Amino acid sequence: MYQVDLPPDPKEVAAIEARRNQEKERQSRFFNVRTRVMGVDVEALNNQVEERKLQEATERSKEAAYGTNQVRYDLVAQMLEKEQAERTRRLAKKVQNFREQRQKLRNRCELDFWNSNQLWREFPAYLGDNAPYYGQASLQCFSGEDLERATYLRMQQEQFQYSLERQLQEQQQARVDENCAGKRGPPGVT
């Protein structure tokens, strides 16, 4: 049922043997009076110092690598800032050119507070809806200011008169048709 005489695993045997050798080496260092200095393991301390120096060297090399990366990133950031400043300068120049070309003083509709009569001199009184300096939303026509009112009333009266005449003609035609129908007599009687 249980196999007692199994061959040992070679890895386990090697690990056990390595531990035994380390223990023997340690004991020989401690128990050797000539190399021992008052309970201090000099070789182990030297190994720790070497490991510490190696660790510090790797940290310095990492910091140097980070430093070179930092310098490179700083250069890239400076280049991007210069490019952004150049873009901003070009955009400001384009805006200035647009203002100089499209927003001239004669096209401006702003009020100058130092010259309050500017608007009254610049724009004449309401001349009609087709004035070139009044837009669709300028609200220049107020009640009582309709310059076309007389023309509008005359056209309205003409239209009213035309429709009245047409109604009279239709009524007259209906009477004539009725009289003609009455002279013939009722249908079917001859």
Side-chain angles (χ1 to χ4, degrees):
M1 179 157 177
Y2 293 107
Q3 295 181 356
V4 180
D5 55 344
L6 285 176
D9 189 18
K11 289 182 182 178
E12 289 180 24
V13 170
I16 292 171
E17 190 63 33
R19 274 185 257 142
R20 280 185 192 152
N21 289 339
Q22 286 176 353
E23 183 64 24
K24 283 182 184 177
E25 185 180 325
R26 188 183 72 81
Q27 285 178 359
S28 69
R29 280 184 306 197
F30 275 99
F31 295 129
N32 190 354
V33 179
R34 292 185 182 189
T35 58
R36 183 177 65 177
V37 179
M38 296 299 286
V40 176
D41 190 4
V42 177
E43 191 175 324
L45 291 177
N46 290 337
N47 288 338
Q48 287 179 358
V49 168
E50 291 297 322
E51 288 175 4
R52 181 69 182 162
K53 286 180 182 178
L54 181 64
Q55 186 178 6
E56 288 176 358
T58 55
E59 287 178 7
R60 279 195 300 268
S61 65
K62 283 182 185 178
E63 288 177 3
Y66 288 141
T68 56
N69 283 341
Q70 185 78 25
V71 169
R72 191 173 71 216
Y73 294 150
D74 286 344
L75 289 175
V76 169
Q78 288 174 359
M79 288 174 22
L80 289 175
E81 286 176 1
K82 285 180 184 177
E83 185 177 329
Q84 181 67 28
E86 181 65 23
R87 265 194 236 134
T88 304
R89 188 188 62 75
R90 282 194 311 254
L91 181 63
K93 190 173 182 179
K94 284 182 182 179
V95 168
Q96 184 63 28
N97 288 341
F98 175 80
R99 287 180 179 159
E100 288 173 359
Q101 292 173 1
R102 307 286 178 151
Q103 297 178 343
K104 296 183 179 175
L105 187 61
R106 60 183 168 86
N107 295 340
R108 165 174 96 169
C109 296
E110 298 171 352
L111 178 63
D112 184 10
F113 288 113
W114 302 110
N115 187 3
S116 60
N117 294 326
Q118 173 188 2
L119 289 177
W120 304 116
R121 280 186 268 126
E122 195 170 313
F123 297 110
Y126 180 69
L127 299 176
D129 290 333
N130 296 331
Y133 37 80
Y134 295 130
Q136 294 177 351
S138 62
L139 190 67
Q140 294 297 319
C141 182
F142 299 103
S143 62
E145 282 192 1
D146 191 6
L147 299 177
E148 309 279 328
R149 183 165 175 78
T151 309
Y152 173 72
L153 287 175
R154 187 172 59 247
M155 287 176 53
Q156 192 176 21
Q157 287 175 353
E158 288 174 3
Q159 187 178 8
F160 178 70
Q161 189 174 3
Y162 172 76
S163 62
L164 184 62
E165 287 175 3
R166 201 174 81 214
Q167 285 179 358
L168 287 175
Q169 286 176 357
E170 288 176 1
Q171 287 176 358
Q172 218 173 18
Q173 185 65 31
R175 280 191 223 134
V176 168
D177 289 343
E178 193 177 305
N179 285 342
C180 286
K183 287 183 183 178
R184 279 194 232 158
V189 178
T190 27

